[in-house]
């Protein structure tokens, strides 16, 4: 399966369905608390990772996340590990502009961002723990890019599939992505059938039996 067709399969899913599939496989099932900072949004793509740390003394270098953006493309989601800090922005408007111009699909940050209006005007999805005006300059530096990072306890490796929406964030290891997509698609099909029955007047307790939701054979009554 091509990279683009795999992403298209995940784009038809939501974080809850993918979480259920990850659960079935014994993989981390996702996290909440990292949400879109403007309007309804959903994003899915291959992770391009950035690790940040507090600024130390020494010569100034490239601004945080700029090298990651330059390495990204139109199938990428930038993933920023700022260790959940909420006292300093780890993503801003010029970064949103640069990423948008490269076709990047969005950013997921374990931290907070600024310049929310600029991201909204660009239509660029930003997911974070909130917003703050305080700049990263003089406060943060880039620890790594293109290496595994941790986001709210989830390990994210370069190239992993990242899906974020209004419900939460899920991360799918790249080598399990096709398997997860197949299971999640089956879950969506099953739940749509249950939804149709409920809309048609079926009893909720009958249509929404736990065994059926789990894809198991229901007990004989």
């Amino acid at each position: 399966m091509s990279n683009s067709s795999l992403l298209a399969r995940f784009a038809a899913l939501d974080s809850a369905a993918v979480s259920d599939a990850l659960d079935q496989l014994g993989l981390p099932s996702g996290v909440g608390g990292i949400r879109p900072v403007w309007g309804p949004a959903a994003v899915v793509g291959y992770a391009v990772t950035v690790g940040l740390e507090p600024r130390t003394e020494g010569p100034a270098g490239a601004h945080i996340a700029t090298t990651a953006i330059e390495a990204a493309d139109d199938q990428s989601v930038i993933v920023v590990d700022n260790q959940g800090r909420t006292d300093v922005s780890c993503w801003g408007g010029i970064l949103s502009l640069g990423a948008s111009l490269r076709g990047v699909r969005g950013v997921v940050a374990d931290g907070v961002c600024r310049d929310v209006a600029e991201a909204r005007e660009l239509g660029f999805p930003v997911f974070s723990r909130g917003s703050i005006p305080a700049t990263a300059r003089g406060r943060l530096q880039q620890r790594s890019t293109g290496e595994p990072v941790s986001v709210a306890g989830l390990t994210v490796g370069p190239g992993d599939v990242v899906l974020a929406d209004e419900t939460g964030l899920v991360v799918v290891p790249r080598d399990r992505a096709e398997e997860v997509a197949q299971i999640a698609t089956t879950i969506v099909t099953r739940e749509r059938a249950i939804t149709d029955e409920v809309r048609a007047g079926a009893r909720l307790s009958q249509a929404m039996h736990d065994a059926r939701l789990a894809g198991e054979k229901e007990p004989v009554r």
Side-chain angles (χ1 to χ4, degrees):
M1 182 182 297
S2 71
N3 287 344
S4 58
S5 60
L6 180 61
L7 288 185
R9 291 185 68 183
F10 276 100
L13 302 167
D14 62 17
S15 62
V18 176
S19 175
D20 288 354
L22 291 165
D23 260 345
Q24 286 192 29
L25 296 171
L27 296 170
S29 56
V31 295
I34 296 177
R35 299 179 52 80
V37 298
W38 63 266
V43 65
V44 60
Y46 297 114
V48 175
T49 57
V50 181
L52 304 180
E53 63 187 5
R55 181 86 168 91
T56 57
E57 293 298 325
H63 192 277
I64 59 170
T66 54
T67 53
I69 291 170
E70 290 171 351
D73 60 23
D74 62 0
Q75 294 186 342
S76 301
V77 172
I78 306 293
V79 177
V80 181
D81 171 12
N82 196 30
Q83 303 167 349
R85 286 183 62 176
T86 58
D87 61 329
V88 55
S89 170
C90 63
W91 187 269
I94 300 177
L95 292 177
S96 290
L97 174 62
S100 178
L101 291 173
R102 288 195 64 82
V104 174
R105 295 179 173 213
V107 62
V108 173
D110 191 5
V112 291
C113 67
R114 69 181 198 164
D115 303 322
V116 173
E118 293 178 37
R120 182 176 61 243
E121 289 166 6
L122 290 165
F124 184 75
V126 176
F127 287 75
S128 75
R129 293 187 178 276
S131 57
I132 193 172
T135 181
R137 290 189 300 277
R139 295 187 174 100
L140 297 175
Q141 64 187 22
Q142 189 163 294
R143 180 184 74 247
S144 66
T145 186
E147 297 180 10
V149 296
S150 177
V151 173
L154 296 177
T155 298
V156 186
D160 286 350
V161 176
V162 173
L163 188 158
D165 57 21
E166 294 174 272
T167 298
L169 167 69
V170 288
V171 177
V172 182
R174 182 64 182 85
D175 61 353
R176 307 295 296 274
E178 292 189 23
E179 183 181 12
V180 171
Q182 181 175 352
I183 294 171
T185 300
T186 299
I187 290 169
V188 169
T189 300
R190 182 164 61 240
E191 291 191 352
R192 284 176 179 166
I194 294 170
T195 299
D196 289 344
E197 291 178 16
V198 172
R199 290 184 184 280
R203 289 173 55 205
L204 189 61
S205 59
Q206 182 72 28
M208 203 177 173
H209 194 279
D210 278 349
R212 186 180 183 191
L213 285 168
E216 302 169 359
K217 184 177 180 180
E218 295 183 40
V220 178
R221 296 176 181 168

